[in-house]
Amino acid sequence: MSQRPHLSTLTPSELRQRLHSPDGLRLQLGRFVAGIRSNFDSVADGLQALYADYPVATADDFCDYPVELRSSGLRRYVRPQAIFRFEGMQPFKPLPGDQAVAMLEWGLNWVFTNHAQHYLIIHAAVLERDGLGLIMAAPPGSGKSTLCAALALRGWRLLSDELAMIGLDDGLLMPLPRPVSLKNQSIDIVRQLPGQPVIGPIARDTAKGTVAHMRAPRASVEAALTPVQPRWILFPQFGAGHALDIEAHGKAHTFMQLVSNSFNYPRLGVTGFEAMGRLVDGCDGYTARYGSLDQIVPALESICTRSA
């Protein structure tokens, strides 16, 4: 993986040429190769900002997921719209062109969630510390991504901001480090954290409000082929003004909470049940209610140190 050139080695002109080419820009994302095609200059700029450290695959490499983000017809010139396609399918309605970078990230999430069915997939941020994995599962709006960004900027290895991918055979967490999705006030909160976060283009007035993404740490991208043993499962619940309250859970509660956050547990049937059972058996489960990063980060680091 390190032998391949990084995206940062491409000139802006070379990057645009690849995005316009039939094969697209072939980007190594963890164990997958995505072929990205686009005629949006903003997508090229966004990729340079957020994916500079990612290896570029060659045209000879198998492309797992070819995706396309385009504006077509007269709409290219008058109020352009971004249309996302995967293998001829158009899973979403078009969005305003200035939301193209955000739409690419959402589209890739959709592709992995619906087509990487050889993993148990949970809606969760995932990080690694001292060789062991922390899964933070929660619905949108729970503070998961902000906490994930804060931990990544403190040296935790980022495995994913959105998808915990658990191998059905080995039970290990498969890294898929990609930019961390931030919304509304969390953008400025993360921008002010130590660690020199790199924030990409800002998309305003999306269905999720104002959205931006933080570049994944380079060390996390370079370690993207190394799986991790899961050890902790956390259900974060941020609330402005909340006092810190961390509650340990039994296996049955943790199991059912994870099922409610899983994308493909029902589809996997018995295989999913067995994979979920092994995951829960090997982890400690907690719910954390908190009102600030200053509360939850040291408490979480203490838990993950003493129970490693």
Side-chain angles (χ1 to χ4, degrees), residues 59-185:
D60 293 331
D61 291 306
F62 179 78
C63 178
D64 298 283
Y65 301 120
V67 301
E68 183 179 41
L69 195 68
R70 288 188 174 276
S71 183
S72 59
L74 293 177
R75 296 305 296 262
R76 291 182 60 186
Y77 309 101
V78 182
R79 303 180 66 181
Q81 290 186 322
I83 301 171
F84 179 87
R85 293 191 178 91
F86 168 69
E87 294 186 336
M89 293 182 284
Q90 184 181 326
F92 312 115
K93 293 181 179 178
L95 292 179
D98 58 5
Q99 299 179 16
V101 175
M103 191 179 199
L104 175 61
E105 292 300 315
W106 297 332
L108 287 172
N109 288 340
W110 178 86
V111 168
F112 291 125
T113 299
N114 287 278
H115 297 85
Q117 295 303 311
H118 42 306
Y119 296 94
L120 173 63
I121 304 176
I122 298 169
H123 184 215
V126 192
L127 300 109
E128 176 257 321
R129 179 185 172 97
D130 297 330
L132 298 173
L134 166 67
I135 299 171
M136 299 194 297
S142 57
K144 165 179 64 67
S145 293
T146 309
L147 179 54
C148 174
L151 293 173
L153 290 169
R154 290 175 61 88
W156 291 58
R157 172 154 72 107
L158 173 69
L159 274 66
S160 176
D161 168 46
E162 290 285 347
L163 307 174
M165 305 184 75
I166 298 102
L168 297 177
D169 295 326
D170 58 18
L172 299 178
L173 291 161
M174 200 281 284
L176 187 59
R178 292 176 40 232
V180 178
S181 177
L182 304 170
K183 297 185 288 291
N184 303 317
Q185 295 93 335

Side-chain angles (χ1 to χ4, degrees), residues 19 36 70 86 88 105 118 122 133 145 152 171 190 211 234 246 252 296 299:
L19 289 171
I36 303 170
R70 288 188 174 276
F86 168 69
E105 292 300 315
H118 42 306
I122 298 169
S145 293
V190 171
V211 173
L234 181 77
I246 297 180
I296 184 61

